[in-house]
Amino acid sequence: MFDDLVWRVVRKRLVANRKMSRTHRKRKGVKRVVCAFQTLPKPFKSANDFVDRLLEEIRDDLVFADLLVLPRLVGNLLYGVWPVLNKRKIDEIYERLKTPYLNLLKYISKELSISIVAAGVEDFKKPPEVYVLKDGCLIYKRDLSGDEQPTAVFLDDWAIAILRREETFSFEKMRPLVEKGVYTFILLDLEEEDKNWWIEKTGLWARSQSLEVFGVKASPFGQFLDRTFKGKSYVSAPVPLTPSLNGFLTKTDERNSKVSVDLDLELLSRKRHENYKRFVSLFKET
Amino acid sequence: MTVLVGSSVSLEEFEEVDVFISWLDALPSSAKYSVLGTDKFFIVGRYGKEMLKRSDFEVVNILGKRFLVVSGEAALFPELFHFARKNNATFVVAFNEVQNLIDLSFCKAKFWAHSQESDLVVFSLLCMQGKVYNNVYVPLRKSENQTGIVAESLAPVYLSFRDGTLVSEEKK
């Protein structure tokens, strides 16, 4: 009874009504990807608080941003909307946040006219769904705990694909997508273990080199209730496309909350070794 | 099994070498097996005698281990390393020519990535403007320094393997 009363109050705070807009300047062949909240922020007090803090973080990128990537757990931080957090009922709270968080993402995508990749609210029992939104509509979702294959998601004039962690350690699931013109792969991960950069490089970074594609890995860093997450976020690219020749266009540490980078898809297309088609049969025959 | 990656001059410093890997050179009689190549073709020899000459790639048996030897662009693609694994190869020897430092760094990154993905030991010889860079990569968990990089240098590298696993290395 009391919970229902609280929920009625809380529900209103989960609806954003803050006005926002932007002028989006599209560029031919170049896409700006902005990953916000890589360092986990404090819990949000309302949906409007979420929007305010997001706008504050991505303010410098608003004009050129083509894709906004939000890491896992960000939706869970809306638990701050509850006046008093009952940790015994936290699972129920997460469940109640799922739809309002998706609606909030739709609102942001529509108002800012921006594509968004974000994970749903975690229940910590299994990996969540990852959503892709465009112009306020949910155009794709992938259940990270299911066994469905990754597919190409088309955003205007470019294509992306959402990967599960295990799919980043081999070229096998990615090559068919590359053949369809997907050169941007996104992984939303959640890690409590602090892995060194050599281990980190065996995933998306290595595929960026072998398949000659862009890799965007967003994995939050920071405290969430009584758990500590030590993820590393980065954008990888083939070595010749990275100014430091290290295969990273950018990477975060605990001091950086935002990752913002321009993906030069046109340059990538020009530089790619396309002769791989000759060798695809080697893989298929075996 | 001992492997020397370098020029035939460096070979003189060792009494016995099981496998000698080098950018195109004269087939030495002092090594049990030699794998010599360029960006266009490679030769496999035994005690100075030519056994095999190919362009592109081939899986060869050397002292009970399977080596995938590859010349040129084919080595840049992960499919070839998948092919090597399916053919029970333990080692990959790749010969590539690069034009500049950017391509050199890129090829090194590619071969490191291929080694991690395929779990194979990779000998990558990269020739840039007449200089040959000897690079050896192993899977991270088999790497003493946990980087997967055994060697990346112009200097020759002498390595010992037991059952396909690196047991010692020496740079001259």
Side-chain angles (χ1 to χ4, degrees), chain A:
Chain A
M1 181 69 185
F2 178 71
D3 284 345
D4 284 344
L5 202 65
V6 173
W7 173 237
R8 251 181 262 169
V9 175
V10 159
R11 198 166 46 185
K12 288 177 193 162
R13 291 194 209 158
L14 287 168
V15 179
N17 50 21
R18 186 197 187 287
K19 292 290 166 216
M20 54 181 157
S21 65
R22 70 159 181 161
T23 306
H24 180 205
R25 286 178 61 183
K26 288 186 184 178
R27 290 168 295 170
K28 190 173 173 283
V30 178
K31 302 292 172 191
R32 181 166 298 182
V33 176
V34 182
C35 309
F37 297 141
Q38 302 307 303
T39 302
L40 288 169
K42 287 179 187 160
F44 303 105
K45 297 289 178 200
S46 65
N48 283 340
D49 180 33
F50 184 106
V51 172
D52 286 342
R53 285 202 254 162
L54 176 67
L55 289 177
E56 176 64 24
E57 188 150 318
I58 65 170
R59 189 177 47 194
D60 296 341
D61 296 289
L62 263 183
V63 174
F64 293 109
D66 296 287
L67 180 66
L68 173 66
V69 178
L70 297 172
R72 287 167 66 174
L73 279 184
V74 168
N76 292 61
L77 287 167
L78 283 167
Y79 76 74
V81 168
W82 266 261
V84 181
L85 186 67
N86 184 346
K87 285 192 179 176
R88 279 178 301 162
K89 294 196 172 177
I90 195 80
D91 289 343
E92 201 179 301
I93 290 173
Y94 294 149
E95 191 58 39
R96 285 193 151 159
L97 285 175
K98 284 181 180 173
T99 307
Y101 181 53
L102 180 57
N103 289 338
L104 175 60
L105 295 173
K106 286 178 181 172
Y107 178 78
I108 296 166
S109 170
K110 188 176 175 209
E111 295 293 304
L112 291 181
S113 183
I114 192 169
S115 298
I116 298 177
V117 171
V121 173
E122 303 271 341
D123 60 14
F124 297 101
K125 291 173 189 130
K126 58 182 178 58
E129 289 178 322
V130 173
Y131 307 124
V132 181
L133 302 105
K134 184 173 165 277
D135 300 326
C137 299
L138 179 66
I139 59 165
Y140 173 81
K141 66 176 174 182
R142 186 170 187 214
D143 184 354
L144 291 185
S145 60
D147 54 4
E148 62 181 300
Q149 300 295 310
T151 54
V153 185
F154 294 92
L155 306 172
D156 294 327
D157 54 346
W158 63 314
I160 61 167
I162 310 296
L163 298 177
R164 287 204 292 261
R165 184 194 297 164
E166 55 273 24
E167 288 163 352
T168 64
F169 295 108
S170 161
F171 75 99
E172 295 175 32
K173 291 273 166 48
M174 294 168 69
R175 177 61 94 195
L177 293 163
V178 172
E179 287 183 86
K180 288 178 187 163
V182 179
Y183 299 142
T184 307
F185 291 88
I186 298 172
L187 168 67
L188 301 187
D189 212 344
L190 194 61
E191 301 152 296
E192 288 181 90
E193 187 193 350
D194 190 9
K195 289 186 272 180
N196 73 39
W197 279 103
W198 288 103
I199 295 172
E200 196 65 64
K201 283 168 73 174
T202 58
L204 259 188
W205 184 92
R207 303 292 83 70
S208 279
Q209 310 316 319
S210 65
L211 292 169
E212 301 176 18
V213 295
F214 293 116
V216 179
K217 186 199 166 204
S219 183
F221 182 95
Q223 198 74 24
F224 179 85
L225 294 175
D226 51 355
R227 297 169 79 171
T228 306
F229 293 90
K230 296 177 178 172
K232 289 183 168 67
S233 302
Y234 61 82
V235 179
S236 56
V239 161
L241 269 66
T242 57
S244 317
L245 295 184
N246 63 1
F248 288 107
L249 283 171
T250 182
K251 55 183 181 179
T252 56
D253 53 39
E254 59 266 42
R255 292 181 300 275
N256 300 337
S257 183
K258 184 184 72 173
V259 167
S260 165
V261 74
D262 286 337
L263 307 183
D264 195 334
L265 292 161
E266 209 165 85
L267 182 63
L268 179 77
S269 297
R270 276 206 312 273
K271 295 248 178 188
R272 283 176 51 77
H273 292 87
E274 289 294 350
N275 270 349
Y276 72 85
K277 285 164 189 157
R278 212 179 118 219
F279 303 101
V280 168
S281 61
L282 276 181
F283 170 55
K284 288 181 179 161
E285 279 165 19
T286 52

